[in-house]
Amino acid sequence: MEGILYISEYQSPIGELVLAATDSGLSICAGNEVVEKRRLIEKVVKGLNLTTNHNAVNEILKSAFSWLDNYFSGIENEKEPPLLLCGSPFQNKVWLKLTEIPYGATVSYSGIAKATGNPSAIRATANAIGSNRLWIFIPCHRVIGANGRLTGYAGGLEAKKYLLDLEAHLK
């Protein structure tokens, strides 16, 4: 794939998010202060053979901003912008399973491992979840520990709790 990776920021209740998209789909939605933004963007650019256009917005980013506006207003979105998964086949499989978790619901890491047909691959599943670059759109915040506790979220546990509380009324 050759093309342009459009990169912009979005101010959210959980902090500033960096979003990046090609004309094919959204490839990054992650916390600006948490991730090494440059490294994250370089990985996508190199993997897809793209050039970058910072502080620019294409139609997919506009759609993502609108989706996020609705989401943070407590409105369940019917259709999200197209997503461009940039992972290994295993990561993509895990991430697609995450998109099946309903708003406000939670699933354990072992539950996701089982759902992908790899019940003994809990650690690999957790690593794939931790590599998710599409926060909120691929809802890794809905994955919790087997004991029911909130665990690991790149945006922090406070953000994870905020997102789950926000979604609770949409169940």
Side-chain angles (χ1 to χ4, degrees), residues 7 24 60 63 74 95 98-99 110 114-115 119 137 139 162:
I7 304 162
S24 299
I60 292 185
S63 174
W95 297 337
L98 297 179
T99 65
S110 60
K114 288 175 189 168
F137 293 93
Y162 178 90

Side-chain angles (χ1 to χ4, degrees), residues 43 85-98 112 116 124-133 138:
K43 190 171 185 177
L85 303 182
C86 302
S88 70
F90 178 75
Q91 287 173 323
N92 291 345
K93 187 175 185 180
V94 169
W95 297 337
L96 288 172
K97 281 297 173 190
L98 297 179
I112 294 295
T116 62
T125 299
N127 286 336
I129 292 168
S131 299
N132 175 23
R133 293 185 204 97
I138 295 178

Side-chain angles (χ1 to χ4, degrees), residues 94 97-98 101-114 122-123 125-127 129-130 138-154 156-165 167 171:
V94 169
K97 281 297 173 190
L98 297 179
I101 307 169
Y103 278 76
T106 57
V107 178
S108 68
Y109 290 91
S110 60
I112 294 295
K114 288 175 189 168
I122 298 169
R123 185 166 290 175
T125 299
N127 286 336
I129 292 168
I138 295 178
C140 54
H141 60 278
R142 297 178 190 154
V143 182
I144 61 172
N147 61 4
R149 290 192 175 165
L150 298 186
T151 59
Y153 185 61
L157 293 183
E158 190 173 304
K160 185 172 191 163
K161 181 176 179 350
Y162 178 90
L163 296 173
L164 290 173
D165 289 347
E167 294 178 358
K171 286 202 243 182

Side-chain angles (χ1 to χ4, degrees), residues 12-165:
S12 83
I14 62 169
E16 187 175 80
L17 300 174
V18 61
L19 279 77
T22 67
D23 288 326
S24 299
L26 185 66
S27 59
I28 298 172
C29 176
N32 210 7
E33 73 286 343
V34 177
V35 297
E36 293 179 38
K37 181 172 136 178
R38 182 176 294 134
R39 181 185 57 79
L40 183 64
I41 290 168
E42 284 175 0
K43 190 171 185 177
V44 172
V45 166
K46 184 178 177 185
L48 298 175
N49 191 26
L50 303 170
T51 58
T52 59
N53 191 345
H54 291 268
N55 300 314
V57 178
N58 66 358
E59 290 305 312
I60 292 185
L61 284 178
K62 287 178 188 175
S63 174
F65 294 152
S66 176
W67 191 96
L68 288 167
D69 287 345
N70 285 341
Y71 176 84
F72 285 115
S73 295
I75 300 167
E76 186 172 359
N77 286 287
E78 292 293 320
K79 183 180 176 198
E80 63 186 28
L83 304 179
L84 183 59
L85 303 182
C86 302
S88 70
F90 178 75
Q91 287 173 323
N92 291 345
K93 187 175 185 180
V94 169
W95 297 337
L96 288 172
K97 281 297 173 190
L98 297 179
T99 65
E100 297 173 9
I101 307 169
Y103 278 76
T106 57
V107 178
S108 68
Y109 290 91
S110 60
I112 294 295
K114 288 175 189 168
T116 62
N118 299 287
S120 62
I122 298 169
R123 185 166 290 175
T125 299
N127 286 336
I129 292 168
S131 299
N132 175 23
R133 293 185 204 97
L134 285 163
W135 296 6
I136 305 169
F137 293 93
I138 295 178
C140 54
H141 60 278
R142 297 178 190 154
V143 182
I144 61 172
N147 61 4
R149 290 192 175 165
L150 298 186
T151 59
Y153 185 61
L157 293 183
E158 190 173 304
K160 185 172 191 163
K161 181 176 179 350
Y162 178 90
L163 296 173
L164 290 173
D165 289 347

